[in-house]
């Protein structure tokens, strides 16, 4: 089939590569977010999906909005049979959805109808889900509510960060999306409507949402820290300045007042509402990331000092 692939970040690359490598399909263009400023020089940089398309000589479309008339004219001229989507990050109006014969098929990183929305993997980690996965579905106007073609599942490991889990799901999801498009082409796959029960939503996580609250139990601090790693990154305040924190590790043998820091020879502990957590990597403002023990030695923490 003639495909126009829509996606933006690195998590979409395994799926795009799968279609590029497939002898059954022809990726005639990709749609991605416009080039964005990056780095200290704020130089405009192509998205990961756009950069991969450039490497393969594939046309790159970067509309500010997916309903722009100029973009729609080009999309119609390309005559795609189907548009696969992975983390594109732009709303698709109905006039855009109507262009390809077989519609737009999205790879979403949850087992729908659970965790519709922008941050399904982060939600699964923060919620303590044992199992999550990825789903392919036909995009409709309502958010992530279209009929489902297929699902793969993935165990959430005890120390998974969102980055760890998303990396695995991007690979297994790529094969799911490819097999979904194959099945649609063959006429052997039909989408099934999502059940009305079990719908949950996962809103985008802001920087403020990623602030750790040490007045909550250790399990909650741990889950949030892992859920927001690598983006937007966990943080707290120490001596009035923001301190970025890597994932923490709950410990069972120490209890401290919430937020109080205890420096030991091989670990730095912080109290929570239950038992303490051990800090992993730490990054103070203007500094490089470092082990928590190195940071603690450098700042010379006084007895009773707290992080909040």
């Amino acid at each position: 089939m003639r495909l126009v692939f829509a996606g933006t970040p690195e998590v979409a690359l395994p799926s795009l590569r799968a279609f590029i490598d497939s002898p059954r399909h022809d990726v005639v263009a990709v749609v991605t977010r416009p080039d964005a400023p990056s780095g200290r020089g704020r130089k405009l940089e192509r998205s990961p999906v756009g950069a991969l398309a450039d490497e393969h000589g594939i046309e790159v479309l970067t509309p500010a909005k997916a309903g722009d008339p100029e973009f729609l004219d080009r999309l119609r001229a390309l005559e795609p049979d189907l548009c696969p989507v992975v983390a594109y990050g732009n709303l698709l109006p109905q006039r855009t959805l109507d262009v390809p014969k077989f519609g737009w098929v999205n790879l979403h990183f949850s087992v729908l109808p659970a965790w519709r929305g922008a941050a399904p993997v982060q939600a699964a980690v923060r919620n303590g889900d044992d199992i999550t996965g990825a789903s392919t579905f036909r995009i409709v106007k309502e958010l992530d509510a279209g009929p489902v073609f297929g699902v793969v599942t993935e165990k959430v490991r005890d120390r998974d960060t969102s980055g760890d889990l998303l990396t695995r799901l991007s690979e297994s999801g790529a094969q799911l999306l490819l097999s979904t498009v194959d099945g649609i082409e063959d006429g052997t796959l039909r989408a099934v409507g999502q059940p009305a029960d079990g719908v949950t939503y996962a809103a985008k996580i802001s920087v403020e949402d990623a602030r750790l609250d040490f007045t909550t139990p250790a399990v909650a601090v741990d889950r949030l820290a892992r859920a927001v790693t690598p983006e937007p990154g966990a943080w707290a305040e120490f001596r009035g300045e923001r301190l970025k924190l890597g994932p923490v590790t709950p410990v069972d043998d120490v209890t401290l007042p919430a937020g109080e820091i205890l420096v030991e020879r091989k670990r730095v502990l912080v109290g929570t509402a239950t038992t303490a957590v051990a800090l992993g990597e730490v990054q103070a403002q203007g500094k490089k990331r470092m082990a928590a023990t190195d940071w603690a030695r450098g700042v010379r923490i006084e007895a009773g000092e707290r992080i909040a």
Side-chain angles (χ1 to χ4, degrees), residues 45 170 186:
E45 188 172 293
S170 70
D186 294 339

Side-chain angles (χ1 to χ4, degrees), residues 134-158:
S135 307
T136 50
F137 70 96
R138 180 176 289 114
I139 296 179
V140 297
K141 189 172 182 180
E142 185 181 351
L143 178 66
D144 297 335
V148 173
F149 288 101
V151 170
V152 292
T153 58
E154 178 73 32
K155 179 176 174 56
V156 182
R157 300 169 188 171
D158 291 343

Side-chain angles (χ1 to χ4, degrees), residues 11-35:
V11 72
L13 296 183
S15 292
L16 178 54
R17 290 192 185 101
F19 287 117
I20 291 172
D21 294 340
S22 172
R24 297 185 55 167
H25 307 296
D26 182 17
V27 181
V28 296
V30 303
V31 186
T32 191
R33 296 294 295 271
D35 298 358

Side-chain angles (χ1 to χ4, degrees), residues 159 161 222 225-226 229 245-249 278-281 289:
R159 303 308 306 157
T161 66
D222 168 46
R226 289 187 290 111
T229 299
L245 302 170
V248 302
T249 304
L279 300 184
E281 287 191 324
R289 295 184 72 88

Side-chain angles (χ1 to χ4, degrees), residues 160-176:
D160 266 342
T161 66
S162 289
D164 297 331
L165 186 53
L166 192 54
T167 295
R168 299 201 303 275
L169 287 172
S170 70
E171 296 292 343
S172 59
Q175 295 308 306
L176 172 65

Side-chain angles (χ1 to χ4, degrees), residues 55-80:
E55 290 176 16
H56 289 270
I58 298 170
E59 181 177 353
V60 178
L61 307 175
T62 57
K65 295 182 179 179
D68 289 349
E70 184 178 348
F71 166 69
L72 280 174
D73 288 344
R74 182 57 188 150
L75 185 63
R76 293 188 184 105
L78 289 167
E79 298 183 334

